[in-house]
Structure formats: C-alpha cells, structure tokens
Amino acid sequence: MPSPTHADHTAAQTPDPGAVDALISQARRLRTRVDAVLGDSDAAEDPRLRWQRALCDLAVHQLDDLGAHLGQLRDGLDPEDLPADRLLLLDAPLQPGGPGAAVVGALGRAGSAQWDLLTDAAQWSDELYRIFGRAPEDGPLTLDELPSWLFAEDQSVLTEMVTGCLVDGRPIDGEFRIVRADGSVRTVHMVAEPVVGADGGTESMWAVLRDVSDLRRSQRTLRETRESLQRQRQIAQTERRMAVELQEAVLPPWRGAQRFPQDGGPTTMDLAAHYLPSATSALIGGDWYDAMQLPDGASLLTVGDLTGHGVTATSGMAMLLGALRGMAVAGLQPGPLMGWLNELLDTSPQPALGSALCCRYDPATRVLEWSQAGHPAPLLFRNGAGRTLDPPDGVLLGATSGAQYAQAHEQLASGDLLVLHTDGLLPRRTLADSPVTGPPHTDRGGHRLLSMAPLFAAARTAQDCVRLVAEEFGAPDREDDACVLIARIV
C-alpha cells in the first residue's frame, strides 16, 4: 500500500469549505436563538433572569466573533488580516440542537456574584470560588477585600469601575488580573450592573465574572506569531533586495545583444544573454553568465551556478565570477582556471558547491577551448541541426580538493551558434544522474533545446535566438532561476 504523500497530508489539514459553511450556518442559528432569549427575558427584578441575560450578552459577543473567524477561515485570509485583539476558543463543539452547550463552550468558566451595599454581604456561585481558587468555607470576598487579590497596577482599574457602577449607575465591562492563593495568575473578565432600590439609590451590585486566561494567552501567542512573521517577512524582503542589487552589480552591465570586438575592427562574435527568474521571486540564486574580450584578442564565455539562494549565494557567485575574470585576463586556460576556482570554493569559509562552464574562443583560428565542472555541456548548432559537445572530465567546484579539470577543443565555423545555459533552464536531473562525477545526461529538456535548431537557423541575430529560448523555457511555474548565453560566430 503506498505511503501518504505530502500532498495527501496537506489536503488532510486543509479545512473543508462545506464543513466551514455548515459551522457558519450553525453559528447564525445559535445567534438567532440567543437573540430570542434576550427578547423574552425581563431582567428588571429577578436575579436569575439577570444572570441569564448576562450570559446571553456574552454569548452574542462570542458568536459574532465566531462568525467572523469562520468567515476568515472560509475565505482564506492572510494571517496579517486576523485581528490581534480578538480570538475565540471553543471548549466544546457547536451542536445544531444544543445552543446551551455552545454558549457554555463559548463562554468558558463563568461565575456570578452579588454584593449588598446595605449589609456588606456577598454571594458567590460555586464556579466563582473555583475561578479564584478559594474554598467555599472561606466565604466570598467583599468589595473591600477584592482589590487585595489583584495586581497592583490593576487595583485602580477595578476601583474606578466599581465606583462608576455604584455612584454613577454605569455598568461594568472590564478585565483585571488576580493572584490566587497558590500563586497562579488568572485574567478575569467582569460584567456588572447596579441594582437600584425603590428610592432610586443603589442597593447592590451583581456581576458575571469569566476566567479568560487561556483566551488572552492565545491572543498573545497570535500577536507574537504575527509580529514574528512580519519581522521574518521584512528580513526576507531586505535580503532579497540585497541579493538582487548584488546580482545586478556583478553580472555584465550589458543586456540583450553584444558584439565583439568593440574597438572598430571586424565583428567576430554576436552575443546575447538572458536571466530567467524562478516562479518564487524570493529565490534569487547564484546563477551567472559573462562574456568579455581578453587582452590577447580571445573571448571569454562562461555560465555557472552556485548552490543556495539569497545573499549567501549571490555573494559567493560574485567572488567566483570576480576570480574567474581575473584569471582569464591573466591568460589562464579554461582547465587550469577551473582547478583554481575549485580550490577557492573548497577553502571558502562558507562551504558550497558550484557548477561552471568556461570557454575561450580564439577568433583568429576559430577554435573553442572549454572546460566544465559538473555543468551541462555547450550546444552547437550548425546548418539547421544541433548537438551536444562531448564534455571533458570535471567534478563540481568545491566537491573535492586538488581536482583536475580536462580541456576540450572544438573547431568552429562562420554561422555556428553556441548555446550555454545553467542547469535550471531544463527540467530537474533524475536520481540516476551524477553531478559529482561528471555533467548530467541529456534529458528531454535538452532534446527540446536541440529541437529548436530550425528556429535558430531562421533567426537573424543572437538576440532573436535568446528571445526564442525565453519564450520556450520561461514558464511562469519555473522551479529555479537560470541563465542562457548565446554566441553566433561571424
């Protein structure tokens, strides 16, 4: 029996839109039932009705939150869009026929209290004793005793709320933190209102107190997670911007077509290059291309790819490309040059692997000398047909110390077209390919490129050929970034 795939696991975790819609319908029905209870209740005299109304008020608030969050779940909103100060935790599932169970689940642990101002007596429900961690035989806390259980910074908040309720007749809706006898801290949400006597004066105050500690803890977690995601997003954006700027600074300043030589002599090579980004714009890799004239009149053509992404990959690419240019200007042939690049990467403080292709073209003899390090070989197109050049031996840069790189020769002719590209242009290697022992085998992506020979033959310039490659391989769902460099021999 096949094992579950990552896609199966992801699908199992994805909310079913139909189930979410059903929950939304249940929440709406419960909201309607709670509204009906509110409309039927008369909390003017009966304390039990006041208790019921307080619970219904809290239930309405929570069911509104539930509907909003289920709507966000259904619509697939970004975590940034979630409000940081409101989060519903259900302790029990919603049942279509059981609004009471849903209300209790939404409210969590709630208890009631009534404080008589005339006798200074207090009455607490059993649940309120449990919230405060207080034994019933110890009796309820009076209004004078209650502040001593609060955090020092919350005591003034409670005093202000109680004074406003008893003196000005304002209802209470606020929170404070209590420290229980065992040292644990709980956050309590209190809803209260004054009870007015026949003479119009306040006789007592009744209240519903709810333990919202878990709720607030979850809200803090949500807020901290969102802030962490925002910081990570900002860091990623900054790193990507740095990687792009570094890449643009290091790659050749010319874009599109380029012709050698540039000193007024006859043109020997028509060049064009293009960088194809990956579908994930954040994955700026270490791909490079370069073409330059050397002091002896030869031309350097090179493409390569350093493992990794971001600033680390682009900075490593800049180091390698700078060293490659310097050694090529100094007159090193492609084979020895690759050996020195391997030593440079092998001794780098940031270990990495790289593939590279280095070509030296002599326009006087039209001979191409080239070497490769675990990289796709150049493609040669002539007279409407294409073939892959036989690669010399060469392992990935940084794979082993003291590696030797062979060098191959190819006689070119006027009208020949060379196509150099990085590995990301074509589909991924299969597991049978070995990037360490040599270049990858030609796969169906390579055949697709070779099959473009008639199109290349009909194209007038190297830039036209690059445009054809970009149209063929520049799919919006590219897995990796890539570079292509095309040189037409004149």
Side-chain angles (χ1 to χ4, degrees):
M1 180 176 179
S3 61
T5 64
H6 175 72
D8 296 331
H9 179 69
T10 303
Q13 292 182 329
T14 303
D16 180 5
V20 175
D21 286 337
L23 286 173
I24 292 175
S25 298
Q26 292 178 22
R28 288 174 178 171
R29 287 197 297 269
L30 287 171
R31 179 68 159 80
T32 302
R33 294 178 182 177
V34 173
D35 283 338
V37 173
L38 283 172
D40 293 340
S41 64
D42 182 7
E45 298 295 339
D46 191 341
R48 295 171 61 184
L49 290 178
R50 289 201 303 270
W51 163 252
Q52 183 186 60
R53 184 176 183 86
L55 285 177
C56 289
D57 284 337
L58 289 173
V60 166
H61 177 76
Q62 297 293 345
L63 287 172
D64 287 342
D65 271 0
L66 175 61
H69 285 290
L70 288 175
Q72 290 169 342
L73 178 63
R74 179 189 58 192
D75 298 336
L77 296 183
D78 188 88
E80 278 197 351
D81 299 327
L82 293 175
D85 61 337
R86 301 178 77 181
L87 178 66
L88 176 65
L89 295 179
L90 290 179
D91 297 328
L94 291 178
Q95 301 295 335
V103 169
V104 172
L107 294 178
R109 297 176 58 186
S112 64
Q114 184 161 357
W115 287 277
D116 192 316
L117 303 183
L118 302 180
T119 64
D120 201 28
Q123 295 181 357
W124 278 19
S125 67
D126 293 340
E127 185 60 34
L128 191 55
Y129 282 105
R130 285 190 284 270
I131 291 175
F132 274 75
R134 186 176 175 85
E137 53 267 24
D138 294 335
L141 296 173
T142 66
L143 284 178
D144 293 333
E145 297 171 330
L146 184 60
S148 64
W149 282 62
L150 273 62
F151 270 46
E153 54 266 35
D154 292 353
Q155 292 177 2
S156 59
V157 175
L158 177 63
T159 300
E160 182 179 351
M161 288 192 300
V162 172
T163 300
C165 179
L166 300 181
V167 177
D168 300 327
R170 296 196 305 264
I172 290 177
D173 189 346
E175 290 184 9
F176 48 83
R177 291 163 298 172
I178 63 172
V179 181
R180 302 198 295 193
D182 60 2
S184 60
V185 177
R186 309 301 295 177
T187 301
V188 177
H189 181 210
M190 180 176 181
V191 176
E193 67 177 37
V195 178
V196 180
D199 58 356
T202 301
E203 294 183 348
S204 63
M205 184 182 77
W206 68 271
V208 174
L209 296 93
R210 185 164 61 103
D211 187 345
V212 294
S213 304
D214 294 338
L215 176 64
R216 298 297 173 250
R217 187 180 303 110
S218 298
Q219 289 174 343
R220 286 193 301 271
T221 301
L222 175 63
R223 181 175 60 254
E224 292 168 358
T225 301
R226 187 177 65 176
E227 292 173 352
S228 176
L229 289 174
Q230 289 174 340
R231 287 193 299 270
Q232 293 176 9
R233 187 179 295 109
Q234 291 171 353
I235 292 173
Q237 291 172 347
T238 300
E239 290 183 348
R240 182 185 184 280
R241 184 173 63 253
M242 293 174 60
V244 170
E245 292 175 353
L246 182 58
Q247 183 189 63
E248 292 177 347
V250 173
L251 291 182
W254 52 271
R255 295 292 184 267
Q258 177 81 333
R259 289 177 177 268
F260 288 162
Q262 301 176 1
D263 58 3
T267 298
T268 60
M269 186 178 290
D270 175 25
L271 290 151
H274 186 64
Y275 173 81
L276 292 85
S278 67
T280 305
S281 59
L283 298 178
I284 303 298
D287 291 62
W288 80 77
Y289 65 88
D290 196 16
M292 60 183 295
Q293 284 186 289
L294 301 175
D296 61 359
S299 299
L300 170 72
L301 305 176
T302 177
V303 294
D305 181 11
L306 193 65
T307 55
H309 295 92
V311 175
T312 301
T314 51
S315 61
M317 176 267 288
M319 175 190 68
L320 282 183
L321 186 53
L324 190 154
R325 288 168 175 168
M327 288 186 286
V329 170
L332 267 70
Q333 294 294 310
L337 190 153
M338 283 292 187
W340 285 112
L341 285 182
N342 177 69
E343 293 302 312
L344 179 63
L345 196 58
D346 184 53
T347 58
S348 172
Q350 296 179 340
L353 296 175
S355 68
L357 184 66
C358 183
C359 304
R360 187 180 186 276
Y361 174 68
D362 185 350
T365 61
R366 288 184 174 171
V367 172
L368 181 76
E369 298 175 305
W370 67 284
S371 183
Q372 63 82 30
H375 199 88
L379 305 181
L380 175 61
F381 294 85
R382 176 182 294 169
N383 299 326
R387 64 182 177 89
T388 302
L389 299 185
D390 294 330
D393 292 336
V395 299
L396 282 173
L397 300 176
T400 182
S401 300
Q404 300 293 317
Y405 293 85
Q407 193 166 291
H409 304 265
E410 188 72 28
Q411 182 68 52
L412 303 182
S414 177
D416 284 354
L417 190 77
L418 282 172
V419 177
L420 284 63
H421 64 86
T422 56
D423 188 48
L425 182 69
L426 307 179
R428 295 285 188 181
R429 297 185 179 99
T430 64
L431 293 178
D433 296 323
S434 176
V436 175
T437 58
H441 303 156
T442 301
D443 54 13
R444 61 180 183 177
H447 289 301
R448 281 173 58 194
L449 198 51
L450 290 172
S451 68
M452 298 178 67
L455 298 177
F456 292 154
R460 294 180 300 174
T461 65
Q463 179 63 32
D464 291 337
C465 295
V466 164
R467 189 176 299 111
L468 291 170
V469 173
E471 292 173 354
E472 177 69 19
F473 294 96
D477 57 349
R478 294 187 54 76
E479 295 182 5
D480 200 358
D481 51 356
C483 293
V484 59
L485 173 65
I486 294 181
R488 182 187 291 275
I489 306 302
V490 178

